[in-house]
Amino acid sequence: MSDQAPPRVLVFDSGIGGLSVAACIHRYLPGVDLVYLADNAGFPYGDKPETVVIDRCCTLIARALEQYPCDVIVVACNTASTVVLPHLRAMTSVPVVGVVPAIKPAAAKTRNRRIGLLATPATVRRPYLDRLIEEFAGDCRVERIGHPGLVRWAEDLVSGGVVPADELTDAIKAFHEARVDTVVLGCTHYPLLLESLKKSLPLVRFWMDSGEAIARRVAWLLEQTDQFAGAGRPVTEPVHSPVSAALFSGSAPEGIARFMSELGLSVQLVRGFWPAEPTEAGSA
Ligand code: DGL
């Protein structure tokens, strides 16, 4: 791979949640060049109509591909993935990977057949989720919480915000009452809140997210196109920043480069990306 450009993967989310997925991809595929694209001007998607989410995702991703040709697109947002995947696949020949709440692995893990599903208000309402539960966890009690506050608390971490512990415990008390032993993090923002969630629900044994499964799927797709990027190889001497560009449809969040570094995702360039010309640029 020395004199060859590394494979490039576009990771998309409404905000910073997709960074939890990008971090898994980087750990699994350290040779991959990541481009991160966040529709933070449209955040949160959890309260948006489907048509708005579809339109915003397709427009932004199409524009990003013009400037940053990619080998794989990852829609690192459960809320968007429930509606946008067929539209993206009709729009581009680049393989598209979506995120599905980890109901199936959760059903394999739970000991007491009680699962908590934590997602955005939109995701918990979508019929697609009913089908997923019916197919893979039909014999489990699945308690759903679609709370609007959690994604905001995760976003606030970038500027040094602290998760409000009492409000969080209150938001997820239905899981405590249902005595779930397994919780599915059905929104990519939530792995960023994991330490706080564990404190609020100390009896939960298994916390499931989709990051590793996505990373494995990306590796498989890259292998199909001979773009294999060293899956599982330890990062010894990174020759480049894992993220060549972080693109934001609104203003880039204050402190984003530092926050990304803490996740192991140092970034070369942070810039605005919507609607036509960059609204903000700067080296990170
Ligand atoms: N990270 C997105 C998800 O996985 C966040 C949703 C939002 O913007 O409300 O669903």
Side-chain angles (χ1 to χ4, degrees), residues 13-14 43-46 77-79 120 151 187-189:
D13 183 30
S14 58
F43 174 88
Y45 278 1
C77 174
N78 290 262
T79 313
T120 64
V151 282
C187 167
T188 54
H189 279 72

Side-chain angles (χ1 to χ4, degrees), residues 10-229:
L10 178 70
V11 181
F12 173 83
D13 183 30
S14 58
I16 59 145
L19 291 174
S20 68
V21 176
C24 285
I25 296 173
H26 176 58
R27 279 197 297 273
Y28 197 70
L29 294 165
V32 158
D33 175 25
L34 297 169
V35 172
Y36 191 75
L37 173 62
D39 184 11
N40 62 333
F43 174 88
Y45 278 1
D47 64 6
K48 297 269 179 313
E50 289 183 19
T51 48
V52 173
V53 171
I54 292 167
D55 188 50
R56 294 189 72 94
C57 291
C58 289
T59 308
L60 269 168
I61 290 173
R63 266 186 60 75
L65 289 176
E66 282 163 23
Q67 293 181 31
Y68 299 90
C70 288
D71 300 294
V72 176
I73 299 164
V74 175
V75 179
C77 174
N78 290 262
T79 313
S81 294
T82 57
V83 291
V84 81
L85 300 182
H87 300 270
L88 283 175
R89 287 177 179 139
M91 183 188 91
T92 175
S93 57
V94 178
V96 180
V97 181
V99 196
V100 176
I103 296 286
K104 188 179 175 186
K109 279 277 183 196
T110 176
R111 299 282 180 271
N112 67 2
R113 316 312 292 158
R114 291 163 188 247
I115 297 172
L117 171 67
L118 193 57
T120 64
T123 300
V124 294
R125 278 197 306 268
R126 299 243 155 93
Y128 142 98
L129 194 65
D130 299 327
R131 291 197 293 274
L132 203 63
I133 292 171
E134 205 176 287
E135 186 174 355
F136 297 115
D139 65 336
C140 297
R141 170 175 171 188
V142 180
E143 186 72 34
R144 305 180 195 197
I145 296 177
H147 192 281
L150 272 74
V151 282
R152 171 52 59 200
W153 297 333
E155 291 282 322
D156 288 348
L157 294 173
V158 178
S159 54
V162 175
V163 181
D166 291 346
E167 278 179 70
L168 179 64
T169 302
D170 195 50
I172 55 179
K173 70 169 184 292
F175 289 168
H176 180 72
E177 287 161 6
R179 290 184 287 118
V180 304
D181 72 350
T182 303
V183 171
V184 176
L185 302 175
C187 167
T188 54
H189 279 72
Y190 300 165
L192 303 173
L193 300 172
L194 186 58
E195 290 318 307
S196 301
L197 287 163
K198 283 181 172 172
K199 281 185 194 140
S200 289
L201 288 172
L203 299 181
V204 167
R205 295 178 64 188
F206 306 109
W207 295 89
M208 314 299 297
D209 71 58
S210 312
E212 273 185 41
I214 298 294
R216 282 197 302 274
R217 178 76 186 156
V218 170
W220 183 84
L221 285 166
L222 292 175
E223 268 185 282
Q224 306 309 299
T225 53
D226 277 342
Q227 286 271 31
F228 194 54

